[in-house]
Amino acid sequence: MPDNIICQMNHVAVSEQPNIELEDISLNIIENHLTALISEDGSAGRILEVMAGLKEVQLGKLDYPGLKSIWMKKGIHSEEGSTQSGQVAYSRLKAVTRTGSRIEEEENTGTFFKPIQYVPDDIVCYSGLTVGTFLQGMAGGSQELTREAVRLLSLFNIDADEQLLEMTFEQNRLVSVIQAMMAKPALLLLNRPYNMLKERTYKLLLKEIVDSYAKGATVVLAAEHYDDVVLPVHEYVFIKEGKIIGKFARNQLPVPAKVVTLWGGSISPMLSEKMTMLTRRKGYCRFLYNEQNMKELALRISITGCRNFNIEELTMEEMLFENYERWIS
């Protein structure tokens, strides 16, 4: 098994009666890579929950083969190897934690290290706590984490004295991200980090995510749409109804088909092997057309004799999930 696989899922299945949430999921998360999991139905978020140990695996195997080498790089020696099948509880991944039985290692290495940090699609809900108090508790006495928390709070213009439950949703959402990022984990799991954030704020967060990756972190991000992931992603994984339907490197992503609508004329000049009819009635038709050369497409449309036409493009999800519902009218 290659040393650079930090997390490996082999034919993993997760069910919650009466539904199957994940079915036959096989993934290799490569160290120091950005991976985007994309689904419109929440399947991507379920995968993150499995990686974080929050969902029990009924079938298959889930391991973290790369954590041992990461511990060694940080000067931390783990007594345990990879996790057992279907068990990713944090207690089995404790290299150094503020409550662990081996806390003396933090004193020896001068670092607080928690290998996995998971950020749910949610806010931090603790009554009676300020932002600063909450983050100090998460830092567990580590000055390094405290300094990083201060830097991130300043970056996002968040007041450490503000009560968690009195913040805007955007600010509170950022606190949930900060508490994970300040630990500089080996594996950072982010579920829809753009949710509740304004576009400008999300762009600022993306810069931090890229910086985290550049410094050696492994990042897995769950999103609803391909367009939500404006990052230099190494691998895109598309999931539908708990099943992986496509994996693509950044330079291998397919190009979505064109959606062509014609009013009048004849479709005979169009090449049938490139066409998938969506709807057709007298004097009107709409079809998918696989042609990236716009001059060639325009030429063929011009000789259909149509009164009018329109050219649009499927989204990446519509193409891969074969979801054409909004175009059939």
Side-chain angles (χ1 to χ4, degrees), residues 8-41:
Q8 185 173 59
M9 303 176 72
N10 286 320
H11 306 292
V12 165
V14 174
S15 63
E16 182 122 354
Q17 296 300 328
N19 301 317
I20 296 175
E21 296 192 335
L22 298 175
E23 185 175 358
D24 198 26
I25 299 292
S26 293
L27 277 175
N28 287 333
I29 303 302
I30 307 300
E31 183 182 352
N32 196 212
H33 273 205
L34 291 168
T35 302
L37 310 179
I38 300 172
S39 70
E40 296 179 328
D41 59 11

Side-chain angles (χ1 to χ4, degrees), residues 39-72:
S39 70
E40 296 179 328
D41 59 11
S43 297
R46 293 291 176 272
I47 291 176
L48 292 191
E49 290 176 358
V50 170
M51 291 181 182
L54 302 176
K55 284 283 184 181
E56 183 180 353
V57 173
Q58 277 79 40
L59 294 173
K61 187 176 182 181
L62 175 63
D63 287 316
Y64 285 89
L67 279 185
K68 184 175 181 180
S69 63
I70 291 172
W71 288 334
M72 296 297 288

Side-chain angles (χ1 to χ4, degrees), residues 93-200:
L93 297 176
K94 286 180 182 173
V96 175
T97 70
R98 69 178 188 276
T99 58
S101 60
R102 299 166 64 227
I103 194 168
E104 69 276 2
E105 291 192 64
E106 182 176 358
E107 298 173 359
N108 294 336
T109 61
T111 183
F112 175 102
F113 178 59
K114 190 168 185 178
I116 300 175
Q117 287 285 352
Y118 166 67
V119 182
D121 179 18
D122 204 351
I123 60 174
V124 183
C125 297
Y126 291 104
S127 61
L129 283 183
T130 65
V131 173
T133 303
F134 168 70
L135 293 178
Q136 284 174 7
M138 299 302 293
S142 168
Q143 292 302 307
E144 181 182 352
L145 266 68
T146 300
R147 286 193 296 270
E148 183 64 6
V150 169
R151 184 189 73 82
L152 290 169
L153 288 174
S154 176
L155 176 68
F156 292 110
N157 195 27
I158 297 175
D159 185 354
D161 293 326
E162 191 162 2
Q163 293 285 325
L164 286 170
L165 297 187
E166 294 179 3
M167 309 177 75
T168 65
F169 281 119
E170 178 180 69
Q171 289 176 319
N172 195 308
R173 175 74 167 132
L174 285 168
V175 171
S176 73
V177 177
I178 289 171
Q179 66 87 21
M181 295 190 71
M182 71 183 193
K184 300 180 181 178
L187 178 59
L188 178 62
L189 309 174
L190 298 167
N191 191 4
R192 299 198 300 175
Y194 49 83
N195 196 25
M196 307 181 201
L197 302 187
K198 297 173 184 175
E199 183 178 357
R200 178 180 175 277

Side-chain angles (χ1 to χ4, degrees), residues 255-269:
V255 179
K258 303 295 187 293
V259 181
V260 179
T261 306
L262 299 180
W263 287 267
S266 169
I267 62 170
S268 58

